[in-house]
Structures are given as C-alpha cells and as structure tokens.
C-alpha cells in the first residue's frame, strides 16, 4: 500500500473519503447507501459499494489506456480505492446519447429518442440548490472554472463519451447518458469521482431493459440484479 489511512475528511451520499499519510492521496470508500431526487429518496442497494468501486476503477483504467488522465491510483479492497487528492471543479458534466430522464421532461421528447449528436450539459454542483443546469458563461462569469479548464473539460468529456459508448456497445449495452466530475491536480484537469450504474444510464441494446439506478429511482425492482448484470457484461465476474 502506497499510503496509510488517516482520519475521515468527508462523508457524502454514496462514499466516504479518508486522508492518508500522503497529502496528495486520499482513500475513497464506497457505501451501499443509495439516494435519488437530491436525497429525498433513500435506500440501500446491497452490494452496490463493491460494484461501483470495481466498475469505476475498471472504466478509469480503460480510459487511462486511451490517454485520459484520471484520479485512479490503486484498488485497496473490494470497496476502497486510493485516488489522487483533487480539488473538485463544482460542475457536473452530463453527456447524452439518447433522450432520457430530465432531458425528456424538459423537452417533451420521448425517452429513447436519438439526438443527431451527443449533447453536453453543465450543472452547478450544489445540494442546497438541487444542482441547477447552467451554461459555460455562468461557469466563467462566477469563477467556477477558467476558460482553459472549461475547454479541457468539454473536450475530455466528449472523448470519454466516444470511448465508453464504443466499449459498452461491444458488451450489448447502450450508453444512454452519464455524469462525470473533474478535479484540479498539480495544475491539471483530471477525471475524478466515479463512473458506475449510479451515474450512468445503461440500456440493454436489444431489449432496452434498464440496467442502472433508474430501477431504484422509479421503484422498478430488480435493482441489485441489474447492477450485477452490468458487472457480468463487463466481465468483472
Ligand atoms: N446523474 C448523476 N447525478 C446527478 C444527476 C444526474 O449521476 O446528480 C446522472 C444520471 O444517473 C443520468 C445522467 O446523469 O445517467 C442524466 O441525468 P438526468 O439529468 O436525466 O437527471 P435525472 O433524470 O437522473 O434526475
């Protein structure tokens, strides 16, 4: 192990973060707790912490091979990972390949409609405000990111989408949309947070069955089964 675990720095909805003996590294510990609708709906998805940890690490590894810099350092256990200690840019970046969720509500377009190009959206990370949608002018004008950072974030997000879309298509899954976050680390923008069924919409390519957190949000049942099925598709078990 490259660093020793120290005190807890933070506890979020789905993860805890611990300091380590190295100020440049922290340990992320994934929980089974699930929330939706900005924390209004709460529950547990048994085995989710392990699945999200292992899947996110696998996908970050895949992206790293394609030249995307990420926070991933070392998987310490089934639910704990050593990552670079970044300062999170307070933006949620959403990439969409298929209309679903809030985009369907906002536009009236049916879930499943295919836009003529991938759509990038920005949201301001704020639990109190419920993560409002913003545009790049807001981010610049309010100092949430610089022009150079925004350009980097947008080009990385589009490249990440292309890599992941292709990968998931290969295992029979449509990557409908996903949310990513970026961090500042030693003067660079790198991919941080997680990529998992909590943060992506995955639909079976043939049946369009949902294999992600929408099963929890919409009380569809079969939540654990869907998360396990995604692990099986990826070849992680
Ligand atoms: N998403 C997320 N965290 C959020 C909001 C959205 O991980 O706080 C993900 C969500 O799982 C989906 C995508 O981003 O894969 C687009 O979500 P959308 O804007 O449609 O919002 P939702 O319908 O989930 O409220």
């Amino acid at each position: 192990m490259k660093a020793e675990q120290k005190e807890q720095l933070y506890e979020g909805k789905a993860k805890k973060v611990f300091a380590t003996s190295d100020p440049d590294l922290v340990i992320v510990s994934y929980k089974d707790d699930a929330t939706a609708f900005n924390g209004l709906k709460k529950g547990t998805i048994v085995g989710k912490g392990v699945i999200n940890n292992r899947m996110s690490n696998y996908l970050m590894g895949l992206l790293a091979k394609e030249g995307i810099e990420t926070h991933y350092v070392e998987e310490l256990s089934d639910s704990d990972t050593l990552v670079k200690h970044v300062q999170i840019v307070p933006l949620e970046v959403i990439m969409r390949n298929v209309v679903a969720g809030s985009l369907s509500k906002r536009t009236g377009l049916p879930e499943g409609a295919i836009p003529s190009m991938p759509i990038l959206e920005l949201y301001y990370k704020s639990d109190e405000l419920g993560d409002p949608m913003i545009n790049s002018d807001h981010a610049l004008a309010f100092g949430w990111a610089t022009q150079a950072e925004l350009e980097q974030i947008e080009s990385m997000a589009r490249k990440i989408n292309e890599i992941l879309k292709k990968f998931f298509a290969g295992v029979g899954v449509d990557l409908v949309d996903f949310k990513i976050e970026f961090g500042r680390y030693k003067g660079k923008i790198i991919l941080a947070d997680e990529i998992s069924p909590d943060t992506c919409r995955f639909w079976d390519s043939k049946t369009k069955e949902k294999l992600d957190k929408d099963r929890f949000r919409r009380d569809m049942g079969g939540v654990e089964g869907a998360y396990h099925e995604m692990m099986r598709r990826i070849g992680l078990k």
Side-chain angles (χ1 to χ4, degrees), residues 92 94 96 100-102 123 131 177-179 198-201 217:
E92 297 198 345
I94 291 185
R96 301 179 178 274
S102 71
Y123 293 78
D131 301 340
D177 58 30
F178 59 96
K179 186 264 306 179
D198 273 13
T199 64
C200 302
R201 284 197 170 92
R217 293 190 189 96

Side-chain angles (χ1 to χ4, degrees), residues 4 29 42 65 73 87 110 137 159 187 192 217-218 220:
E4 207 177 307
S29 183
K42 289 193 173 72
K65 277 195 213 129
V73 177
Q87 179 195 31
D137 267 16
K159 187 170 169 193
R217 293 190 189 96
R218 303 180 188 190
M220 297 170 74

